[in-house]
Structure formats: structure tokens, C-alpha cells
Amino acid sequence: MPPVIFAHRGSSGAFAEHTRAAYLQALADGADGVECDVHLSRDRHLVCIHDTTLERTTDGTGDVADHSLAELRELDASSWKGASIPAAYGGPDEQLLSLGDLLLLLRRAGRPVRLAIELKHPSPFGLALEEALIGFLMDEGWDPESSMVGGVEVSFMSFNPDSIRQLQESAPHHQLCQLVADVEPEDVRQALHLGSLAEGAVIDVLQGALRESEAAIEHQEVGLAGPGLQYVRNHPDRVRQWISDGTRVRVWTVNTVEDARFLTGLGVQELTSDVPALIRQALLRTDG
């Protein structure tokens, strides 16, 4: 069977990530599902945005958590990409989405769609983020056994083992995805600009979380493993073993045909891509 293809933050190769345009394009591209990241706004609304701060993907400044949903909706979340948005995909003031907006868009797709939600940590709200998500889904009519909301199948992802443990109390095992990526000390140093002692402490914490995450996958405490592409290339035998043990593997972010064919050759069942149409077409030609 061909792999399941998720559009990473929507079809973010074409339009600004997490925007209405990106998600509508993902549906048009025939993606099996879409992926989103969620943070809580100041007034405890779930918002689709990757970073804890606003500068990279909007014309705003400061932390997402310091703004109300109404304030966030006033921001320009799409112009930075430089892509012209068709009128059918909404105006500039309609591009920033709450999770409720995204779910409504998917429920109107006219076909079954998968929704992979990544809970972003560290969050200033702690595990209240998980509580808010489950509460939101229950209000929307989510069935905890099947993890369906109408025709939308929901899965849950996090790098944070505590987040996954919290979700285990409500979400089904087969829809819990433990994300993993190798800890690169140089990347940590460049990102944090801390002193050597502080950097070492952060690296130790991240490496401990990685070991805990890998153990959760190996002990099948989750039904899904979510390694990054580089992690798979670094540890192909480990990933093969996860698949052999019956764990589904969802790899991010797969943007070249070469990488997609490498992963499907390993037996990876799910791919997350910024360019889902390209990956789907290439794999369909391979299968043909």
C-alpha cells in the first residue's frame, strides 16, 4: 500500500505555513491528512502556529501566549511567504487559524481527512495545553475510542514524554505519536546563545527526554513513532525494528522524491511533507 501523506503545516511549500490557504491547498493536492502545531493564546484558545513567538511567521511581536485570539487574528500571517493567495482561499485577514477554524475546514472537505496535532512544549501553560485540547475535542463531538470527529481522524504528537503520558489518559493508543529527533549540541548552542554550563544542562535534559521517548516507542507505550528524516537516516536499523514490532512510523519532513523512496523502501507507512502533491505523484508512479 502507498504511504499515508500528511501536509506539513498544510501545503506549506506553496503558501505560508498554518494558513487557511495552505490547508485548502493541501486538500486540493489530495493529501490524506494535514499536520498542525498548537499553542494556547492568552485567553486559552488553541491557535495553529509553530513558534512560541510571532516574529518569524507574522507581522506581530512577542509571545503567542501574551496575545488574545482576537489580537492574533489582526496579524498578517501570510505575506512573509511572498505567495499570491487566490480569492477562493480567503483574504489576508482570514489566514491565521484557530484549531476550531481548521477543524471546520476539514469537516467540510467532503471526504475523510486525517488531522495530526502536535502539542508544542515548553508551554507557559504546562500540561494545561493537553487538557485544553481534549476539552475542545470533546466539545466538538470527538469519540475517544475511534479518535474521530465526524469524518476527521485525529492523532496526537509531541516531543515531550510528559505530554504523551498526559494524553494517554484520554486518547487511544493507536493515535499517540511520540516524536523523536537526535540532539545536536551545536544546534542547541546556536539557538540558545547561553553560557557553556547552561548549554550543557539544556543538552543533558534534551538527551534525557530523547532516551525516554525512544524507550516509550520500543516498549510500545504509543502506537506511532514520529522520527525526523535525519533521525531515520542516522538509525535505519532501529526504525526497521520499530516497524517489525508493529509500530507505525510517521516521518517528517519529507520534501524530495529520493527521501520518499528511501523511506518507503524501509517500510515507513506515513510521510509528512511540505509538498504533498509532489511526493504523492512520485510514489504513485513508483507503484505503477
Side-chain angles (χ1 to χ4, degrees), residues 219-238:
H219 299 155
Q220 297 189 307
E221 295 168 12
V222 292
L224 284 157
L229 172 63
Q230 191 57 52
Y231 182 99
V232 180
R233 288 201 174 274
N234 291 346
H235 311 284
D237 292 339
R238 181 179 299 162

mmCIF file of all heavy atoms in Angstrom, residues 219-238:
data_model
loop_
_atom_site.group_PDB
_atom_site.id
_atom_site.type_symbol
_atom_site.label_atom_id
_atom_site.label_comp_id
_atom_site.label_asym_id
_atom_site.label_seq_id
_atom_site.Cartn_x
_atom_site.Cartn_y
_atom_site.Cartn_z
ATOM 1 N N HIS A 219 8.978 0.132 23.919
ATOM 2 C CA HIS A 219 8.084 -0.618 24.808
ATOM 3 C C HIS A 219 6.640 -0.566 24.347
ATOM 4 O O HIS A 219 5.752 -1.072 25.034
ATOM 5 C CB HIS A 219 8.195 -0.080 26.237
ATOM 6 C CG HIS A 219 9.562 -0.216 26.819
ATOM 7 N ND1 HIS A 219 10.024 0.606 27.836
ATOM 8 C CD2 HIS A 219 10.580 -1.063 26.532
ATOM 9 C CE1 HIS A 219 11.265 0.249 28.143
ATOM 10 N NE2 HIS A 219 11.624 -0.757 27.358
ATOM 11 N N GLN A 220 6.426 0.053 23.178
ATOM 12 C CA GLN A 220 5.102 0.160 22.558
ATOM 13 C C GLN A 220 4.071 0.815 23.487
ATOM 14 O O GLN A 220 2.907 0.426 23.526
ATOM 15 C CB GLN A 220 4.625 -1.218 22.076
ATOM 16 C CG GLN A 220 5.534 -1.789 20.983
ATOM 17 C CD GLN A 220 4.980 -3.033 20.350
ATOM 18 O OE1 GLN A 220 4.647 -3.981 21.042
ATOM 19 N NE2 GLN A 220 4.872 -3.017 19.040
ATOM 20 N N GLU A 221 4.529 1.840 24.188
ATOM 21 C CA GLU A 221 3.606 2.628 25.002
ATOM 22 C C GLU A 221 2.791 3.578 24.134
ATOM 23 O O GLU A 221 1.805 4.154 24.593
ATOM 24 C CB GLU A 221 4.395 3.416 26.053
ATOM 25 C CG GLU A 221 5.096 2.509 27.066
ATOM 26 C CD GLU A 221 6.099 3.259 27.925
ATOM 27 O OE1 GLU A 221 6.083 4.511 27.899
ATOM 28 O OE2 GLU A 221 6.911 2.596 28.602
ATOM 29 N N VAL A 222 3.215 3.748 22.894
ATOM 30 C CA VAL A 222 2.490 4.534 21.899
ATOM 31 C C VAL A 222 2.334 3.681 20.648
ATOM 32 O O VAL A 222 3.098 2.744 20.412
ATOM 33 C CB VAL A 222 3.234 5.842 21.557
ATOM 34 C CG1 VAL A 222 3.245 6.793 22.747
ATOM 35 C CG2 VAL A 222 4.666 5.551 21.092
ATOM 36 N N GLY A 223 1.350 4.033 19.826
ATOM 37 C CA GLY A 223 1.126 3.284 18.598
ATOM 38 C C GLY A 223 1.851 3.849 17.400
ATOM 39 O O GLY A 223 1.938 3.193 16.360
ATOM 40 N N LEU A 224 2.370 5.065 17.540
ATOM 41 C CA LEU A 224 3.031 5.748 16.438
ATOM 42 C C LEU A 224 4.383 6.295 16.889
ATOM 43 O O LEU A 224 4.495 6.851 17.986
ATOM 44 C CB LEU A 224 2.182 6.919 15.944
ATOM 45 C CG LEU A 224 0.962 6.615 15.080
ATOM 46 C CD1 LEU A 224 -0.038 7.763 15.168
ATOM 47 C CD2 LEU A 224 1.400 6.412 13.630
ATOM 48 N N ALA A 225 5.378 6.173 16.019
ATOM 49 C CA ALA A 225 6.679 6.812 16.226
ATOM 50 C C ALA A 225 6.828 7.907 15.190
ATOM 51 O O ALA A 225 6.504 7.706 14.013
ATOM 52 C CB ALA A 225 7.808 5.799 16.084
ATOM 53 N N GLY A 226 7.335 9.070 15.613
ATOM 54 C CA GLY A 226 7.466 10.200 14.705
ATOM 55 C C GLY A 226 8.886 10.717 14.595
ATOM 56 O O GLY A 226 9.178 11.814 15.090
ATOM 57 N N PRO A 227 9.776 9.972 13.964
ATOM 58 C CA PRO A 227 11.154 10.460 13.823
ATOM 59 C C PRO A 227 11.293 11.471 12.687
ATOM 60 O O PRO A 227 10.566 11.425 11.688
ATOM 61 C CB PRO A 227 11.934 9.180 13.489
ATOM 62 C CG PRO A 227 10.935 8.337 12.743
ATOM 63 C CD PRO A 227 9.606 8.633 13.378
ATOM 64 N N GLY A 228 12.245 12.369 12.850
ATOM 65 C CA GLY A 228 12.614 13.243 11.745
ATOM 66 C C GLY A 228 13.387 12.463 10.698
ATOM 67 O O GLY A 228 13.939 11.389 10.964
ATOM 68 N N LEU A 229 13.428 13.000 9.492
ATOM 69 C CA LEU A 229 14.121 12.326 8.389
ATOM 70 C C LEU A 229 15.573 12.029 8.735
ATOM 71 O O LEU A 229 16.066 10.924 8.490
ATOM 72 C CB LEU A 229 14.036 13.205 7.138
ATOM 73 C CG LEU A 229 14.854 12.753 5.937
ATOM 74 C CD1 LEU A 229 14.379 11.391 5.432
ATOM 75 C CD2 LEU A 229 14.772 13.802 4.820
ATOM 76 N N GLN A 230 16.291 13.002 9.320
ATOM 77 C CA GLN A 230 17.697 12.784 9.631
ATOM 78 C C GLN A 230 17.860 11.693 10.678
ATOM 79 O O GLN A 230 18.819 10.908 10.628
ATOM 80 C CB GLN A 230 18.366 14.080 10.100
ATOM 81 C CG GLN A 230 19.884 13.978 10.195
ATOM 82 C CD GLN A 230 20.525 13.572 8.879
ATOM 83 O OE1 GLN A 230 20.264 14.181 7.844
ATOM 84 N NE2 GLN A 230 21.363 12.532 8.907
ATOM 85 N N TYR A 231 16.933 11.620 11.628
ATOM 86 C CA TYR A 231 16.986 10.562 12.630
ATOM 87 C C TYR A 231 16.897 9.193 11.947
ATOM 88 O O TYR A 231 17.634 8.257 12.295
ATOM 89 C CB TYR A 231 15.844 10.735 13.632
ATOM 90 C CG TYR A 231 15.832 9.716 14.755
ATOM 91 C CD1 TYR A 231 16.358 10.025 16.006
ATOM 92 C CD2 TYR A 231 15.301 8.440 14.575
ATOM 93 C CE1 TYR A 231 16.360 9.096 17.031
ATOM 94 C CE2 TYR A 231 15.293 7.501 15.589
ATOM 95 C CZ TYR A 231 15.822 7.836 16.817
ATOM 96 O OH TYR A 231 15.827 6.903 17.828
ATOM 97 N N VAL A 232 16.020 9.059 10.975
ATOM 98 C CA VAL A 232 15.873 7.778 10.269
ATOM 99 C C VAL A 232 17.154 7.440 9.522
ATOM 100 O O VAL A 232 17.611 6.285 9.537
ATOM 101 C CB VAL A 232 14.677 7.812 9.303
ATOM 102 C CG1 VAL A 232 14.538 6.472 8.578
ATOM 103 C CG2 VAL A 232 13.390 8.136 10.043
ATOM 104 N N ARG A 233 17.741 8.429 8.889
ATOM 105 C CA ARG A 233 18.988 8.160 8.162
ATOM 106 C C ARG A 233 20.115 7.781 9.129
ATOM 107 O O ARG A 233 20.993 6.993 8.787
ATOM 108 C CB ARG A 233 19.380 9.383 7.319
ATOM 109 C CG ARG A 233 18.460 9.561 6.091
ATOM 110 C CD ARG A 233 19.115 10.409 5.021
ATOM 111 N NE ARG A 233 18.330 10.475 3.801
ATOM 112 C CZ ARG A 233 18.386 9.576 2.815
ATOM 113 N NH1 ARG A 233 19.200 8.531 2.928
ATOM 114 N NH2 ARG A 233 17.657 9.709 1.729
ATOM 115 N N ASN A 234 20.085 8.339 10.337
ATOM 116 C CA ASN A 234 21.108 8.006 11.334
ATOM 117 C C ASN A 234 20.891 6.643 11.967
ATOM 118 O O ASN A 234 21.838 5.998 12.415
ATOM 119 C CB ASN A 234 21.123 9.066 12.438
ATOM 120 C CG ASN A 234 21.631 10.418 11.977
ATOM 121 O OD1 ASN A 234 22.222 10.533 10.903
ATOM 122 N ND2 ASN A 234 21.387 11.444 12.773
ATOM 123 N N HIS A 235 19.614 6.198 12.026
ATOM 124 C CA HIS A 235 19.281 4.972 12.749
ATOM 125 C C HIS A 235 18.311 4.086 11.959
ATOM 126 O O HIS A 235 17.255 3.689 12.460
ATOM 127 C CB HIS A 235 18.628 5.320 14.098
ATOM 128 C CG HIS A 235 19.366 6.348 14.898
ATOM 129 N ND1 HIS A 235 20.529 6.062 15.591
ATOM 130 C CD2 HIS A 235 19.105 7.664 15.116
ATOM 131 C CE1 HIS A 235 20.950 7.166 16.208
ATOM 132 N NE2 HIS A 235 20.104 8.144 15.932
ATOM 133 N N PRO A 236 18.649 3.718 10.729
ATOM 134 C CA PRO A 236 17.703 2.954 9.910
ATOM 135 C C PRO A 236 17.343 1.594 10.507
ATOM 136 O O PRO A 236 16.187 1.157 10.412
ATOM 137 C CB PRO A 236 18.421 2.807 8.567
ATOM 138 C CG PRO A 236 19.883 2.987 8.887
ATOM 139 C CD PRO A 236 19.913 3.978 10.008
ATOM 140 N N ASP A 237 18.295 0.932 11.137
ATOM 141 C CA ASP A 237 18.004 -0.390 11.705
ATOM 142 C C ASP A 237 17.018 -0.286 12.869
ATOM 143 O O ASP A 237 16.149 -1.154 13.039
ATOM 144 C CB ASP A 237 19.291 -1.073 12.168
ATOM 145 C CG ASP A 237 20.193 -1.457 11.009
ATOM 146 O OD1 ASP A 237 19.683 -1.570 9.874
ATOM 147 O OD2 ASP A 237 21.412 -1.622 11.226
ATOM 148 N N ARG A 238 17.149 0.761 13.663
ATOM 149 C CA ARG A 238 16.222 0.961 14.779
ATOM 150 C C ARG A 238 14.807 1.182 14.255
ATOM 151 O O ARG A 238 13.832 0.629 14.775
ATOM 152 C CB ARG A 238 16.671 2.151 15.620
ATOM 153 C CG ARG A 238 15.769 2.428 16.826
ATOM 154 C CD ARG A 238 16.293 3.613 17.625
ATOM 155 N NE ARG A 238 17.640 3.334 18.136
ATOM 156 C CZ ARG A 238 18.483 4.264 18.557
ATOM 157 N NH1 ARG A 238 18.127 5.549 18.516
ATOM 158 N NH2 ARG A 238 19.673 3.938 19.014
#
